[in-house]
Amino acid sequence: MGVFDDLVGQDRSVSVLSRAAAAAAEVVAGGRGAGMTHAWLFTGPPGSGREDAARAFAAALLCPDGGCGHCDQCHQVLIGSHPDLEQVRPAGLSYGVKQTRELILRAAGAPTQGRWRVILFEGADRATESAANALLKAIEEPPPRTVWLLCSPAPDDLMITIRSRCRLVTLTTPTTEAVAHVLATRDSVPPDIARFAARAAQGHLPRARALALDEGARARREAVLAIPRSLTGVGECVTAAERLVKTAEEEAAAATATLNESETSELRKVYGEGSTGKGLNRGLVRGGAGALKELEDRQKSRATRIKRDSLDAALLELVWFYRDVLAMQLGATVELANDDLRFDLDQLARTTTPEETLRRVDAVMRCRERLDLNVNPQIAVESMMLALRV
């Protein structure tokens, strides 16, 4: 099984990347390697697998067999431990210029195993303006064996000067049938549940897998999709907003608690906590106070990002719900993401107009934009709930 086999419904992109990996092998052997370039930009909607595609391409570049999927090189890349792979996953809401300059210095090193030095930058759209400018200089004049793999939802999320220096790989949303097939064959999910999860996730494979295998994920989805019919008054809107934001906060806390504790403990050990010797422990811990404060700031930023991501996932569930309502109102023959809630969809479709439905979709999208602009989540979500009120 090759490294590209997990890219569901991405045949065109797989073809491009496979040819580029073959060209990269020619370069390593001393040839010209037409079709290989030093900077790539992977884009696509949530669930399209842009980070998975970039990671698979990294494995193909570092594998002597072009990404066989079973050698030590491929295994190390896929678990993130390969010495020639630098994987960047912004923990906070943004990625600063200091972090970018440190990354560029690491990227300048020669590959340890003689093939490529690969920098996989997930969430490159989170780079600040000054960080993007620093990144541009690195991409303009890269070392001969360094390859940059940038990931972003859309090309326009990055500076045009960076986009123009990258080869674009556009991933698409997999079909329901493709996702259901993967769930049924690779995860042993019963066909009916696989079909439900794939349809509800709208092609987002990790989301579909969670819905198929995690009862908690299904319960959270049901709670979000119960919101539209509950918004009968101002009080209900405020309560629904508070509940949604609180759920996102609890998910962020659960996701970060153990990791925060481990990181803090490790840093304290680095700076000598628990060491023996006169004056040693106190001096080193005092010297590490700044590092501990910086770590706490990063942890808070990471928790905020996870909270925002959780909220955004819930908002997308609402967008799909109202999209289904609009499809029923207009008589469109499209697959309904929430076909299991057809009674609720039909009731709302019959008691409201398409114009009202569009206004509700706009309200949800406006809330997403406000959250991106760091508006207080409680205020942004309350405003949205009032706009959604029946």
Side-chain angles (χ1 to χ4, degrees):
M1 178 172 158
V3 293
F4 295 116
D5 289 354
D6 278 340
L7 301 182
V8 179
Q10 311 294 346
D11 294 347
R12 182 175 180 180
S13 295
V14 167
S15 177
V16 169
L17 296 174
S18 297
R19 291 197 301 269
E26 291 180 16
V27 174
V28 172
R32 294 181 60 188
M36 177 57 188
T37 186
H38 68 281
W40 297 75
L41 175 57
F42 293 79
T43 68
S48 59
R50 52 182 180 268
E51 289 84 6
D52 293 336
R55 193 173 298 105
F57 185 45
L61 292 175
L62 297 172
C63 171
D65 296 322
C68 63
H70 53 75
C71 69
D72 288 342
Q73 303 287 337
C74 288
H75 177 69
Q76 289 175 355
V77 170
L78 296 179
I79 66 174
S81 65
H82 196 288
D84 289 328
L85 173 66
E86 181 76 28
Q87 190 164 324
V88 181
R89 189 175 292 150
L93 297 174
S94 62
Y95 196 78
V97 65
K98 179 182 177 181
Q99 295 165 295
T100 303
R101 287 171 178 161
E102 292 172 352
L103 172 64
I104 292 169
L105 287 175
R106 296 194 298 272
T112 61
Q113 299 184 8
R115 294 183 68 82
W116 301 95
R117 179 76 169 153
V118 181
I119 314 300
L120 172 51
F121 193 163
E122 300 182 16
D125 53 303
R126 296 184 188 270
T128 63
E129 183 177 355
S130 54
N133 286 325
L135 182 62
L136 172 61
K137 293 179 181 179
I139 290 178
E140 285 178 329
E141 300 176 0
R145 286 292 179 86
T146 295
V147 181
W148 288 86
L149 309 180
L150 309 180
C151 302
S152 174
D156 291 344
D157 292 332
L158 296 181
M159 294 168 47
I160 188 171
T161 46
I162 291 181
R163 300 200 309 263
S164 65
R165 287 161 176 78
C166 297
R167 184 169 181 184
L168 183 64
V169 178
T170 303
L171 285 300
T172 59
T173 302
T175 63
T176 296
E177 290 73 18
V179 173
H181 177 73
V182 169
L183 294 177
T185 57
R186 299 184 190 175
D187 298 290
S188 301
V189 176
D192 55 336
I193 296 179
R195 175 77 184 178
F196 150 74
R199 185 178 61 245
Q202 289 292 280
H204 192 301
L205 181 57
R207 173 68 173 158
R209 185 170 281 121
L211 288 173
L213 302 175
D214 184 358
E215 185 176 345
R218 292 194 293 272
R220 287 191 293 272
R221 170 182 176 268
E222 291 173 3
V224 170
L225 296 180
I227 288 175
R229 63 176 180 269
S230 72
L231 304 178
T232 56
V234 174
E236 288 77 8
C237 292
V238 173
T239 299
E242 183 179 2
R243 187 166 56 247
L244 191 61
V245 172
K246 184 177 180 181
T247 299
E249 290 174 344
E250 290 173 349
E251 288 185 13
T256 59
T258 303
L259 182 57
N260 288 354
E261 183 178 350
S262 174
E263 289 175 342
T264 302
S265 176
E266 288 298 320
L267 189 60
R268 288 184 180 277
K269 289 179 182 178
V270 168
Y271 280 92
E273 185 172 80
S275 302
T276 59
K278 185 177 180 180
L280 178 62
N281 181 47
R282 180 182 299 176
L284 288 179
V285 171
R286 184 168 59 244
L292 286 171
K293 178 64 169 62
E294 185 177 342
L295 175 61
E296 289 173 1
D297 290 341
R298 290 201 305 270
Q299 290 173 341
K300 289 178 181 177
S301 181
R302 177 173 60 203
T304 300
R305 181 184 64 80
I306 294 174
K307 173 183 173 180
R308 298 285 173 84
D309 288 347
S310 176
L311 273 176
D312 193 62
L315 296 180
L316 285 175
E317 295 277 12
L318 290 174
V319 169
W320 294 332
F321 180 88
Y322 287 114
R323 187 215 65 165
D324 288 350
V325 172
L326 184 63
M328 295 183 73
Q329 289 172 327
L330 299 179
T333 56
V334 297
E335 180 183 66
L336 300 180
N338 302 287
D339 190 66
D340 54 312
L341 300 175
R342 185 174 283 272
F343 176 80
D344 292 340
L345 296 173
D346 182 64
Q347 187 175 36
L348 195 56
R350 287 188 290 103
T351 56
T352 60
T353 66
E355 291 77 14
E356 289 173 319
T357 303
L358 284 172
R359 283 196 293 271
R360 291 186 172 106
V361 172
D362 287 342
V364 180
M365 298 304 291
R366 191 160 53 247
C367 181
R368 296 183 69 208
E369 292 172 0
R370 288 171 176 169
L371 291 175
D372 281 341
L373 295 173
N374 290 329
V375 172
N376 181 285
Q378 184 69 34
I379 294 175
V381 176
E382 280 184 9
S383 176
M384 179 197 72
M385 293 296 185
L386 290 170
L388 299 181
R389 185 173 46 165
V390 177

